[in-house]
Amino acid sequence: MSSSGASKNSRKANLLDPHSIKHTLDESVTELVKSKGYPEDVRLSNLRLIIGAVIIGIALLAQFYNKKFPENRNFLIGCIISYVAFNLLLHFISYTKEKNAILFTYPPADSFSSTGLIVSSKLPRFEDMYTLTIASADPKSISANKTVHLTKSVAKWFTKDGELVEGLFWKDVERLIDDYNNDRKSK
């Protein structure tokens, strides 16, 4: 009975698929950071969804406009230009703001001298070294801390069957969060 409860909570990844490994680790990191009192900031995700909806709206408008092609030429040109412009805006946001970020947070509710976090990760193709980075969401703030990094082989956190050993992984992530927060105490 207890083994079935444990298997429901365990995270499993296909060890031959680096995207599966990264996704499993990223989900676990997100869960841990949020459990530490950092509420998720979804404003950027919402903005991307709104821009995506506008892009879909433009495409639908161009497709189902009442007039046929020769008569709606200028309207279609406007739709194409708008479609391209909003797609470029969406890619610009992804390239400049998101980068490798997996989580944006607000500061903890009980903190007056803290900024939110940007948690990002990398797992290069054909490598086993996972890099987790915690940075301030507002690096220009006086209460911003130095960026901290953790780079370790994913083999340290997975069993041979592909199950994530969350206890080991969470210890490393908690240590990284503590390193980030301790920088504030040393200022």
Side-chain angles (χ1 to χ4, degrees), residues 13-18 20-26 122-124 126-132 151-160 162-165 168-169 172:
N14 178 356
L15 295 180
L16 301 176
D17 179 12
S20 173
I21 294 170
K22 184 179 182 310
H23 180 74
T24 302
L25 293 172
D26 290 351
K122 278 194 275 191
L123 181 62
F126 305 120
E127 289 187 28
D128 68 332
M129 300 305 285
Y130 178 79
T131 301
L132 184 66
T151 302
K152 260 192 180 177
S153 170
V154 295
K156 305 270 187 213
W157 301 313
F158 284 94
T159 65
K160 64 180 179 173
E163 283 197 42
L164 176 62
V165 183
L168 291 174
F169 182 60
D172 289 338

Side-chain angles (χ1 to χ4, degrees), residues 1 8 11-12 23-24 31-32 48 54 57 63 83 95 99 108-110 113 122 131 141 167-169 177 179 184:
M1 187 171 191
K8 285 182 183 175
R11 296 179 196 264
K12 205 165 189 179
H23 180 74
T24 302
E31 185 181 314
L32 177 63
R48 290 182 59 226
V54 168
Q63 179 69 31
Y83 184 88
Y95 183 73
K99 299 178 185 164
D110 58 348
S113 63
K122 278 194 275 191
T131 301
S141 169
L168 291 174
F169 182 60
I177 293 169
D179 288 349
R184 180 180 305 109

Side-chain angles (χ1 to χ4, degrees), residues 77-184:
I77 290 171
C79 284
I80 291 168
I81 291 170
S82 300
Y83 184 88
V84 169
F86 278 104
N87 264 304
L88 287 173
L89 177 63
L90 194 59
H91 286 291
F92 178 76
I93 289 170
S94 293
Y95 183 73
T96 59
K97 296 290 183 192
E98 281 188 334
K99 299 178 185 164
N100 293 322
I102 57 171
L103 179 67
F104 294 90
T105 73
Y106 292 109
D110 58 348
S111 175
F112 297 105
S113 63
S114 176
T115 64
L117 304 177
I118 298 175
V119 182
S120 55
S121 68
K122 278 194 275 191
L123 181 62
R125 194 171 180 193
F126 305 120
E127 289 187 28
D128 68 332
M129 300 305 285
Y130 178 79
T131 301
L132 184 66
T133 304
I134 298 178
S136 172
D138 184 11
K140 294 179 182 172
S141 169
I142 194 164
S143 58
N145 291 338
K146 291 180 186 172
T147 301
V148 292
H149 305 276
L150 165 73
T151 302
K152 260 192 180 177
S153 170
V154 295
K156 305 270 187 213
W157 301 313
F158 284 94
T159 65
K160 64 180 179 173
D161 298 327
E163 283 197 42
L164 176 62
V165 183
E166 282 192 323
L168 291 174
F169 182 60
W170 280 29
K171 273 185 189 173
D172 289 338
V173 176
E174 284 176 338
R175 193 174 306 120
L176 188 67
I177 293 169
D178 290 344
D179 288 349
Y180 177 83
N181 288 328
N182 286 340
D183 181 50
R184 180 180 305 109

